[in-house]
Amino acid sequence: MAVTSGPAGENVTPVVLALSASGEAVAHQVAAVLGAEVHGREGRVAQADAFFPNALDHARDLFAAGVPVVGVCASGILIRAVAPLLSDKRAEPPVVSVSDNGSVVVPLLGGHRGANRLAGEIASALEATAAVTTAGDVAMGVALDEPPQGWVLANPENAKAAMAALLSGAGATLVGEAVEAADWLADLPKGDGVTIHCTVAPVEVTKETTLVFHPQRAILGIGCSRNCPAEELDGLVAELLADAGVASGALAAIATADLKADEPAMNALAAKFNVPLRLFTAAELDAETPRCATTSEVVFAEIGTHGVAENAALAAGGAAVTLTHPKRKTAMGTAALAMAEAPVTAVAGRARGRLSVVGIGPGQASWRTPEVSRLVAEAEELVGYGLYIDLLGPLAAGKERSDFPLGGEEARCRYALEQAAKGKNVALVCSGDAGIYAMGALVFELLDRGPEEHGVSDAAHRVDVICSPGVSALQGAAARAGAPLGHDFCTISLSDLLTPRDDILRRLKAAAEGDFVIAFYNPVSKTRRTLLAEAREILLQHRPADTPVMLASSLGRPEEYVRYRRLDQLEVDEVDMLTVVLIGSSNSRLAELGEGPRMFTPRGYARKIDGDLAEKAAQ
């Protein structure tokens, strides 16, 4: 399976797009080479893992989500699709086009972020021509700012100057104890002008044509007491690496006990060095005790292993590493270092689990934020109400998914947290915004409880929880209406399943007296038909009968239906659970435009405009 580096070091598998029957066979060949899925254009491709209606929109959605795109189509289609999103070449995913007959492969974007490599793999398999145009690859067959797996360029800011010097005729001098391992640099022209260090040691660079490549041969094992200060752990590690003569770029991973998955100082250290944090159970750590230099019966009595720092470093590296720098400690932290003879490209242990609580908006891709699309693309498993996952379309194709029915909200959130507790990357999919009448609050309510309080497990308490906003039904309805939220507003759910009816009525009266614009969520259900009518009568006591009301059903979907009513003519029977009801304040108005009425709530500018007119008339 071909993968490229995504955000936060995630490995993201490319998606192959098939736009026509003439390129369908080639698309499946390319997908087989890359271990990728084929997404096909509806009505034009017979066989695919997922189908999409619009090529430009779909390619743009994948690109925004950070997914590498390989399109079997004309290059211009992909260029037009992603052009509006281009901003930072260091963060954009690879984009590659392949001709329908498979004869030409063109890396369009992200040449040094995996596109050139993808193009080479595809071209080799298809016996095609890879039209690589990046200067370094063409002239020397190597991109100095894209070292192979297991190597890190410590000073990427110098890559441009060094490559320019080489292209201008300068030679390169390779120095350091790891030169022999850097066979990917062997074909560079020899000579003066560019100096390339290949070493695990830190190097002080004074010239812009000097590059430093570190082989990732070191594993850092860490242990600490709960809430160890970040500066204490950071200082301990800095001292260890300095004494060992090992640069931070030579680290392949940081390893520790799974009990420390949520330790702030530990995660800050992994983020600082941009390496994965790998976790081990006490039993897994203790299995390494025979290889350790120090053991502790006290630690064993506390957590079930005779050590953490040394044991973790050895467990992560496996048989390839040797303990070179035994445990050293401060008041609250411990650290040890294990080294391998060659770059470590596969690290044992599990990752800290992540739960992304995402709001996908009403469902249409254009109203879904790029961050949400990225989190969904990175997720291993999708959890949610089946309809909401279906609305993701091709973005959900091929992913493990766990569908839950309406009414299964607690089970849904509990399951998502416990799956993340296993070290998985899970996305909990909600419609609208996940924090507005959705699953966000329930996730944190469960995290606020212990196992004995019918909460979640200790492991689930240690997962990384990310909340990403979505376009709420309130925002979608307001945008369709015009500007009904131009002044103060509130939202009220009319569902009495979890909220006592008396509380709902009390809030209705307060909102009516406060003259707020009101958005009603969950206005009716099959069995609950009276609260909306009661709300109408309460509001009519405080605002005019002709107050505008907007009813917006299935927002952002093909069956979207928007209409306006007077408050005194609001009928319960034309409202369902997919309808957002927007009630204007006493100041809300309908502006009659050529395309129909648009609802707005003045903020006070009219008084200012009228005052200016009066002042002008008086002059």
Side-chain angles (χ1 to χ4, degrees), residues 229-312:
E231 57 273 17
E232 179 178 336
L233 203 59
D234 192 66
L236 171 63
V237 169
E239 182 181 288
L240 172 61
L241 293 178
D243 290 348
V246 173
S248 61
L251 292 176
I254 292 175
T256 190
D258 58 1
L259 296 175
K260 298 300 176 183
D262 62 339
E263 191 65 49
M266 201 84 69
N267 284 284
L269 203 61
K272 175 184 176 180
F273 295 144
N274 193 30
V275 295
L277 177 67
R278 289 293 177 257
L279 309 170
F280 298 88
T281 65
E284 290 169 333
L285 291 176
D286 204 46
E288 300 294 335
T289 297
R291 301 170 62 194
C292 294
T294 57
T295 61
S296 170
E297 293 297 332
V298 173
V299 174
F300 182 77
E302 287 182 358
I303 64 173
T305 175
H306 286 85
V308 174
E310 294 180 5
N311 303 57

Side-chain angles (χ1 to χ4, degrees), residues 135-214:
D137 297 80
V138 172
M140 287 164 286
V142 63
L144 293 179
D145 56 355
E146 190 191 15
Q149 187 180 13
W151 290 81
V152 168
L153 175 58
N155 55 335
E157 67 279 2
N158 282 14
K160 185 175 181 179
M163 185 62 77
L166 291 170
L167 292 173
S168 298
T173 300
L174 275 59
V175 297
E177 84 285 349
V179 167
E180 290 188 9
D183 53 359
W184 50 284
L185 297 172
D187 293 333
L188 287 177
K190 305 299 187 292
D192 298 328
V194 175
T195 302
I196 299 179
H197 294 264
C198 302
T199 177
V200 298
V203 176
E204 185 176 346
V205 176
T206 57
K207 295 176 61 178
E208 66 174 2
T209 54
T210 297
L211 298 178
V212 181
F213 289 100
H214 295 305

